[in-house]
Amino acid sequence: VEVYGNTATSNGGGICAIDGSFIDQTDVVVSDNHSESSFGGGFFIEESTVEQEDVIVLANSAYQDGGGMYVSEGTMTMLGVEVSGNTSITSQGGGLYFYGSTIVQSQGSVDNNLAKTAGGGIYLGLYSVMDQKGVEIYQNIADEWKGGGMFVSSAADLIMQQGKVYENISNSQDGGGIY
């Protein structure tokens, strides 16, 4: 399945799931989607559950948070998911943005994403819990603030095992790899 070339004037250029939705995806490509004024270029997920296996989130953009994916108060399981070349034009989470969410991410990659402010690859916001195993985070950029590869909020929990974080850039402040 391919979801590509879509535009939303508000949230979720490619896919929008809210209010208890359940999405189960295998072998899906979500690319070149855009949120013109708000959140989630590829995906906008709010109060919903998403299970993904071998999904590619590529070259999406959001005007605000979550170029590739924006998840608020959701539950995510990501196995072998590639998040690459996404952009948050004015804000945080070039690849992935999470707020108040629970995330299990295994054997994937987050690379070549750009955020205007924090979390070039991943922005792990308040009240989020992320458990990563075997994930590579590389060549992401936080252009004007912190956390080139990943920004972890003070009220978030991150568990990382057997992964790699390399060649990320924070252009103006701290935490090239992880802040």
Side-chain angles (χ1 to χ4, degrees):
V1 175
E2 293 183 37
V3 179
Y4 65 94
N6 301 288
T7 300
T9 56
S10 189
N11 299 317
I15 297 172
C16 182
I18 60 172
D19 300 332
S21 297
F22 176 78
I23 297 175
D24 186 356
Q25 297 178 315
T26 302
D27 296 321
V28 175
V29 177
V30 178
S31 64
D32 296 305
N33 300 289
H34 310 284
S35 167
E36 289 185 331
S37 65
S38 289
F39 309 113
F43 292 86
F44 178 87
I45 310 296
E46 186 174 72
E47 298 177 350
S48 298
T49 299
V50 178
E51 295 180 0
Q52 296 179 321
E53 184 173 350
D54 298 327
V55 171
I56 297 172
V57 182
L58 177 67
N60 300 285
S61 66
Y63 186 74
Q64 294 183 36
D65 301 328
M69 187 181 301
Y70 175 96
V71 182
S72 176
E73 299 178 12
T75 301
M76 296 285 305
T77 303
M78 305 169 77
L79 175 60
V81 175
E82 177 187 340
V83 180
S84 183
N86 301 286
T87 303
S88 168
I89 296 168
T90 65
S91 199
Q92 312 168 121
L96 302 169
Y97 176 96
F98 299 105
Y99 172 84
S101 298
T102 301
I103 309 100
V104 175
Q105 185 181 22
S106 303
Q107 308 305 319
S109 62
V110 180
D111 64 273
N112 293 290
N113 299 288
L114 171 66
K116 183 68 171 179
T117 61
I122 301 170
Y123 183 93
L124 190 62
L126 295 171
Y127 318 116
S128 293
V129 177
M130 177 176 256
D131 186 350
Q132 279 188 340
K133 185 172 185 178
V135 176
E136 292 193 27
I137 301 170
Y138 61 96
Q139 297 177 349
N140 300 286
I141 299 172
D143 194 38
E144 293 182 357
W145 208 41
K146 301 175 182 181
M150 180 186 292
F151 179 94
V152 181
S153 168
S154 60
D157 294 319
L158 172 65
I159 300 165
M160 294 181 80
Q161 302 173 42
Q162 303 169 346
K164 296 179 182 178
V165 179
Y166 58 96
E167 297 176 3
N168 298 285
I169 298 170
S170 173
N171 272 336
S172 66
Q173 288 201 15
D174 307 323
I178 301 173
Y179 177 88

